[in-house]
Amino acid sequence: MKKKGFIFDLDGVIVDTAKYHFLAWQRLAKGLDIDFTEEENEQLKGVSRVRSLEKILAWGNKTISQDLFNELMGKKNEEYLSFIAEMDTNEILPDVPRVLNILKENNQPISLGSASKNARTILERVNLISSFDAIVDGNDVSKAKPDPEVFLIAAKEINIKPEDCIVFEDSVAGVTAANTANMISIGIGSKDVLGHANYVFNDFTEISDDFIKSLIEN
Ligand code: G6P
Ligand code: MG
């Protein structure tokens, strides 16, 4: 049996945490008198925490001191973590466990490649931490997606060459990062947004066992 490296993004691929990021950012924006819409939130998918706040401030035409910036980052994360604390296995997106299982049954190494600094906490909440052979997250990288750094480290940690890796991603920046890393990109979401991926599925229910097996064999 061939060995490929399967790399999963977290937010929007394994769990839908975008709604919690949105609630926390929205409250923060409101406090600054900035209108923050769900469409703008879409543009924050895959974007680091620092960069997200910079974008929100730019949309609202606000400049703030570095001290306030740091304080707001802390507050946002505190509120976000209060939602995460309530998460359980019910929040795992449909058919993600089936795909993880088929990979495990076929002895395929599995890595996480996420921009989030809360990745381990979230994986623990939904009881999936032991499904991963390696976890690479926002604490391990210096360059954010679309830079391929996070996926290249994720591949290295499971000892698989980048060209033998397959990445599951829901963000535009993440698909670009996977492509730049010379990996096969599988977009999870809409074709209109993720057209640059090698394959696109609305969600994991559309990904058959046979498709996964064909990724392993080819
Ligand atoms: C993911 C999410 C982004 C989030 C980023 C950092 O990429 O899609 O919306 O801003 O992680 O998450 P963190 O948990 O570190 O604030
Ligand atoms: Mg994501």
Side-chain angles (χ1 to χ4, degrees), residues 12 169-170 187-194 200-203 206:
E169 248 296 343
D170 71 311
I188 304 294
S190 128
K191 273 207 172 78
D192 298 342
V193 181
L194 303 173
V200 185
F201 299 95
N202 285 306
D203 55 44
E206 293 182 355

Side-chain angles (χ1 to χ4, degrees), residues 37-49:
T37 64
E38 247 174 294
E39 269 150 42
E40 285 164 337
N41 191 56
E42 276 297 305
Q43 296 179 46
L44 300 183
K45 282 188 178 168
V47 174
S48 72
R49 202 183 308 162

